Each structure stands twice: as structure tokens, then as C-alpha cells.
Amino acid sequence: MKKMNRQDFFLKALSNRAEVYHFLGRLKSSRADFEQVVKLARDTGHDEAALAGLSVLYGELGAYDQELIYANRLISITRNRDLRSRGKALIRKAGALRDKGNLRSSLRISERSVKLFRRARKSQKLTPRDRRAIQLDLSNAYKTMGMIY
């Protein structure tokens, strides 16, 4: 396991607090913490979770345009990252498009994410834990597709 430096530890804690606020219904506090993580976490990996959190948060508030903006930002930062990160970003966008009512695009993007997860699953370098995580991601992709039908 990788040792966390102070900044990683702080960003992880701030991101976790944002999630707790979200679950407690304190959406303004959650949004503020996620935005702080995005501002501080350039290219650290923590930015992915924060952008996904903001996208989900705005979707729950019914601000579908904002939800889609954050989903697109998530896709843009994961372009050069691993297949799993890219697949999860695509699923977030598929969910945002579904919420906005654009079902065809949502289904098309969900299918792309399934292809990425299948490619990631074939990797020879995966630990059993990674394989289980990818299988869960694949299940979420199929769930998103099922919600469209």
C-alpha cells in the first residue's frame, strides 16, 4: 500500500467529509468541500472522486446542466488515466445524460464504458481485489443501461 503524504491525507479526509455531508443532506457543505478538493487536487486522483461527487450532487438537486458539466470535466481529466478511471467517468456521464432525458446518448456511452471495463478486466497485471472492483464497475455499467430501458 502506498504511503500517503500530508496533502493526500488532507484531500482524502476532505473528500470523505464531503461524502458524509452529502449523506446527511448538508448539500451546501458537501458542495463546498468537493469544490475545495477539485481546486487543490490537480492530477492527484482525488479530483476524480470530487468531480464525480459534484456531478451526483447536482443531479440530485435537479440541476442537470451542472451535473453534465461536472461529468464532462471528469471525462476530460481521465483521458490519459487507466481504463477503469475512464470507464467510471463514462458511467457518470451516462447517468447525467439519462437524468437529463437524453437516453440514446446515455445508452451509447454506457456501452462504451462496458467495453472499457471488459478491456481492463483482461489485463494481466490485476490483483484479485482489482478484478473484483472492475467486476463491480461493470455491474454498475449494466445497471445504468438497465435504468435506461
Side-chain angles (χ1 to χ4, degrees):
M1 179 178 253
K2 170 180 122 172
K3 186 173 180 177
M4 293 177 79
N5 63 31
R6 285 183 183 208
Q7 181 185 14
D8 283 337
F9 188 77
F10 173 74
L11 292 170
K12 180 70 173 164
L14 194 58
S15 186
N16 287 344
R17 186 173 77 172
E19 289 180 25
V20 169
Y21 282 151
H22 182 222
F23 290 126
L24 294 174
R26 295 177 56 188
L27 303 182
K28 286 184 181 179
S29 298
S30 177
R31 184 178 68 212
D33 280 355
F34 278 136
E35 287 174 350
Q36 184 72 11
V37 171
V38 169
K39 189 187 323 180
L40 296 173
R42 301 268 184 239
D43 297 324
T44 63
H46 297 288
D47 49 352
E48 287 179 42
L51 288 170
L54 283 166
S55 180
V56 168
L57 188 73
Y58 280 111
E60 289 177 0
L61 292 172
Y64 302 124
D65 290 332
Q66 283 295 106
E67 178 186 19
L68 192 55
I69 287 169
Y70 282 104
N72 283 328
R73 281 183 65 190
L74 180 59
I75 286 174
S76 72
I77 67 164
T78 58
R79 279 198 206 295
N80 296 322
R81 295 187 184 171
D82 62 274
L83 293 173
R84 184 169 178 232
S85 293
R86 291 176 15 219
K88 288 168 65 174
L90 286 173
I91 281 299
R92 183 63 240 132
K93 182 173 182 176
L97 288 167
R98 181 197 64 228
D99 292 346
K100 197 169 175 165
N102 193 339
L103 301 182
R104 282 186 193 204
S105 293
S106 179
L107 185 59
R108 186 173 37 81
I109 289 172
S110 294
E111 289 168 349
R112 280 179 47 205
S113 71
V114 166
K115 288 177 185 176
L116 283 177
F117 290 135
R118 285 181 177 160
R119 279 181 44 207
R121 193 172 55 183
K122 291 179 183 176
S123 173
Q124 299 298 317
K125 302 177 237 171
L126 295 177
T127 65
R129 181 179 179 187
D130 291 337
R131 288 192 189 284
R132 284 191 303 274
I134 289 172
Q135 190 59 43
L136 180 61
D137 294 333
L138 191 55
S139 297
N140 286 335
Y142 283 124
K143 182 175 116 182
T144 300
M145 290 170 71
M147 294 170 102
I148 295 166
Y149 290 110

